[in-house]
């Protein structure tokens, strides 16, 4: 019989399951062991190897495997809505290793590439009201989502026209207003390395629904899934990397005065291979927000209240203090009614999202996780 | 995009040691209709919205740093608000400053007024109170930009008479109006410091009306370094009753 609290026994079980080709079972066993002995190098290596083998690359995105597991959700030291701390079990799923970029969002929806970023091949000049909606949105994105941009400024400056074709009036305007400061001005303007921001919940959900097939479900993670993933397999730690407070060397946070995003993969990933689960941008989840939810939520795959006005966002952002970038801090944002024929665009340069992925019909349910032989 | 005021979580998030701040598009670089929402600790200090208008070219520096926005973050400490002013003549040296504690959103309390405790209100105002100092000699280094600098040998700015809002360009008039409404006063160089260039009205007699003029950008015959030091905190003199 395997002692499920003994990391050595769990490690042996993981090796058995891996040898038998049950990678998911092995990942769960190794992950459980890691929660007890996170400093064991042999275990760390075995766990990372299996998680890497379970990684899925689809649609140009990297989906990291999050094993089924039980973790303590919430924080006794956190805000009242993070309490009580309670055990939650979530099924396995995949989560993109970074927040969705503007380049990926446009590419996956078949829109024009940034910095135009418009659907249906329409141009900015047509003046239609619906395009004005997007125009304001893209002004925001150009300031914050460009790979090398060091600081948001006048939106007109963030439009990388070909100098040879730039009109005199536009050139004059640039001369008056200045120029954009970029970390490497020689690089082409790019939009694939920073998170997409200014995303409303409906926009995030729209991409997930467009990608979903009969075999694979894409969606926003539930709040419990998000927190499980953010913890990276560590038990009880307030940050994805452990208990040490965030610093400028491991987290994009507390830079409100700088008005910029850092590249998503700039800092080390957590134990599941996920980047920037603390700081950078708030991330949408699928759950409605309820401050009292933890007092009565289901202990297996909780999916939030049935109704509400605000959806939960998690993770904190580049503008927030260290207290708000913990794995347990809860925040919410109103879900807007979509204008006719469109979804609603967001307006915050510190809210983005990442996609969860579930194999339809083959995800391990809460009851069919690994079982120790003879248990 | 719905161009509506950003909603706050104060009706859902229970009270805590953290406070939520909203920074809208007229305050920070975001774009039309945007907003930045952030959480920070109350003990970090407080923020003030700055309103200022200068008839001449100016550069504002707070504690040695040019603020990126008109929302200034203040710790509970001593501070130095400084200007570098350039004008074609002393008759264009006139500025008004008013900084007022910005709205503080306290989760939960905002919606439940019985729990609401008004935040302390601080203001920084340009006034002829002897605490706004200037020199016409370029400081030797940047020490003057920081609190604690000895400016006892510097001269003192005085109230600038006869300034009307109509003389302020339309683009900046609302800033000047707001600064005056909050209690700010236009300050200028004193009439008897003897340094006024001969191209202007008789020294100190600003009978040439202040008026925004392109000439302020063309030449800078007058250069001033201005500083004002103040303290914020529960016992600060700036705390209003």
């Amino acid at each position: 019989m395997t002692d499920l609290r003994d990391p050595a026994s769990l490690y042996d079980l993981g090796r058995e399951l891996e040898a038998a080709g049950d990678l998911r079972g092995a990942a769960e066993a190794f992950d459980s062991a890691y929660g007890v002995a996170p400093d064991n190098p042999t275990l760390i290596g075995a766990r990372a190897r299996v998680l890497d083998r379970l990684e899925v690359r689809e649609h140009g995105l990297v989906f990291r495997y999050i094993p089924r597991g039980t973790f303590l959700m919430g924080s006794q030291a956190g805000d009242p809505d993070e309490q009580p701390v309670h055990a939650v079990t979530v099924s396995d799923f995949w989560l993109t290793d970074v927040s969705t970029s503007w380049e990926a969002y446009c590419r996956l929806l078949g829109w024009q590439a940034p910095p135009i970023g418009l659907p249906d091949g329409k141009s900015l000049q047509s003046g239609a009201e619906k395009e004005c909606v997007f125009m304001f949105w893209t002004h925001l994105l150009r300031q914050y989502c460009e790979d090398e941009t060091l600081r948001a400024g006048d939106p007109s400056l963030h439009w990388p026209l070909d100098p040879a074709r730039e009109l005199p009036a536009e050139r004059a305007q640039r001369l008056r207003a200045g120029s954009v400061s970029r970390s490497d001005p020689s690089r082409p303007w790019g939009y694939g390395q920073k998170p997409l921001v200014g995303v409303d919940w409906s926009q995030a959900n729209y991409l997930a629904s467009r990608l979903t097939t009969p075999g694979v479900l894409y969606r926003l993670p539930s709040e419990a899934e998000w927190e499980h993933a953010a913890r990276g397999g560590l038990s009880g730690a307030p940050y994805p990397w452990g208990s040490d407070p965030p610093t400028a060397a491991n987290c994009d946070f507390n830079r409100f005065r700088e008005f910029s995003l850092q590249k998503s993969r700039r800092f080390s990933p957590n134990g599941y291979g996920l980047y920037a689960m603390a700081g950078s941008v708030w991330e949408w989840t699928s759950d409605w927000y309820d401050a009292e939810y933890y007092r009565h939520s289901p202990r297996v795959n909780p999916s939030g209240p049935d109704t509400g006005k605000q959806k939960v966002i998690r993770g904190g952002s580049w503008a927030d203090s260290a207290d708000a970038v913990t794995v347990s801090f809860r925040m919410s944002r109103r879900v807007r009614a979509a204008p006719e024929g469109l979804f609603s665009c967001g307006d915050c340069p510190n809210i983005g999202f990442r996609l969860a992925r579930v194999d339809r019909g083959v995800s391990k349910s809460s009851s069919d996780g690994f079982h120790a032989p003879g248990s | 995009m719905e161009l509506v005021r950003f909603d706050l979580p104060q009706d859902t998030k229970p009270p805590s040691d953290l406070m939520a701040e909203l920074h809208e598009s007229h305050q920070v670089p975001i774009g039309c209709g945007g907003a930045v929402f952030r959480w920070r600790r109350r003990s970090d200090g407080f923020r003030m919205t700055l309103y200022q208008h200068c008839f001449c070219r100016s550069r504002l520096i707070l504690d040695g740093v040019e603020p990126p926005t008109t929302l200034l973050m203040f710790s509970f400490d001593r501070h130095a608000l400084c200007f570098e002013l350039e004008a074609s003549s002393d008759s264009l040296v006139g500025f008004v400053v008013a900084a007022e504690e910005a709205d503080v959103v306290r989760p939960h309390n905002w919606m439940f007024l019985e729990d609401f405790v008004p935040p302390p209100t601080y203001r920084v105002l340009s006034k002829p109170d002897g605490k706004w100092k200037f020199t016409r000699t370029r400081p030797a280094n940047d020490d003057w930009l920081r609190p604690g600098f000895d400016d006892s040998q510097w001269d003192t700015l005085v109230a600038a008479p006869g300034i009307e809002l109509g003389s302020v360009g339309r683009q900046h008039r609302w800033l000047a109006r707001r600064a005056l409404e909050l209690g700010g006063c236009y300050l200028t160089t004193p009439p008897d410091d003897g340094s006024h260039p001969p191209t202007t009205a008789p020294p100190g007699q600003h009978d040439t009306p202040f008026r925004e003029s392109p000439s302020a950008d063309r030449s800078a015959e007058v250069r001033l370094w201005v500083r004002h030091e103040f303290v914020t905190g529960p016992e600060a003199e700036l705390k209003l009753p």
Side-chain angles (χ1 to χ4, degrees), chain A residues 256-315:
Chain A
F256 170 67
R257 290 168 183 250
E258 298 182 30
F259 301 106
S260 64
L261 289 162
Q262 296 184 342
K263 294 178 182 177
S264 297
R265 293 186 177 87
R266 172 171 179 171
F267 305 114
S268 299
N270 74 354
Y272 291 139
L274 304 172
Y275 294 88
M277 292 300 282
S280 186
V281 291
W282 293 96
E283 295 178 3
W284 287 110
T285 73
S286 58
D287 290 13
W288 294 109
Y289 176 80
D290 175 2
E292 302 291 322
Y293 184 61
Y294 286 7
R295 300 190 182 283
H296 54 78
S297 60
R299 287 337 188 206
V300 177
N301 288 328
S303 56
D306 293 336
T307 60
K309 292 181 178 178
Q310 302 195 10
K311 290 285 187 180
V312 175
I313 54 177
R314 287 296 208 103

Side-chain angles (χ1 to χ4, degrees), chain B residues 133-186:
Chain B
K133 300 297 196 70
F134 79 97
T135 180
R136 295 179 186 273
T137 306
R138 179 184 293 275
N141 53 44
D142 287 344
D143 289 352
W144 71 284
L145 297 170
R146 297 186 177 83
F149 177 79
D150 179 10
D151 58 12
S152 58
Q153 301 303 309
W154 287 26
D155 295 315
T156 302
L157 293 169
V158 299
I163 295 181
E164 298 176 356
L165 279 177
S167 62
V168 178
R170 184 175 298 175
Q171 187 177 358
H172 303 126
R173 198 171 297 162
W174 74 275
L175 286 168
R177 178 182 292 114
R178 184 63 182 145
L180 294 170
E181 285 172 353
L182 290 173
C185 172
Y186 272 98

Side-chain angles (χ1 to χ4, degrees), chain B residues 91-238:
Chain B
S91 65
L92 290 171
V93 175
F95 71 91
V96 62
V97 175
E100 182 184 46
E101 184 170 6
D103 56 326
V104 176
V105 177
R106 298 189 176 205
H108 185 71
N109 289 346
W110 186 268
M111 294 295 287
F112 299 92
L113 294 179
E114 65 270 25
D115 296 333
F116 182 70
V117 179
T121 300
Y122 297 94
R123 285 180 186 168
V124 178
L125 304 170
S126 55
K127 281 186 169 180
D129 54 6
K131 296 178 180 176
W132 289 80
K133 300 297 196 70
F134 79 97
T135 180
R136 295 179 186 273
T137 306
R138 179 184 293 275
N141 53 44
D142 287 344
D143 289 352
W144 71 284
L145 297 170
R146 297 186 177 83
F149 177 79
D150 179 10
D151 58 12
S152 58
Q153 301 303 309
W154 287 26
D155 295 315
T156 302
L157 293 169
V158 299
I163 295 181
E164 298 176 356
L165 279 177
S167 62
V168 178
R170 184 175 298 175
Q171 187 177 358
H172 303 126
R173 198 171 297 162
W174 74 275
L175 286 168
R177 178 182 292 114
R178 184 63 182 145
L180 294 170
E181 285 172 353
L182 290 173
C185 172
Y186 272 98
L187 298 180
T188 188
T189 51
D192 56 354
D193 79 337
S195 303
H196 291 227
T199 53
T200 65
Q205 296 180 26
H206 294 290
D207 49 3
T208 302
F210 283 87
R211 185 168 295 280
E212 289 189 349
S213 165
S215 64
D217 287 330
R218 283 205 296 268
S219 62
E221 298 182 7
V222 176
R223 292 177 188 272
L224 297 183
W225 290 264
V226 176
R227 70 187 308 274
H228 173 64
E229 201 157 313
F230 58 96
V231 177
T232 54
E235 305 303 322
E237 58 191 288
L238 291 162

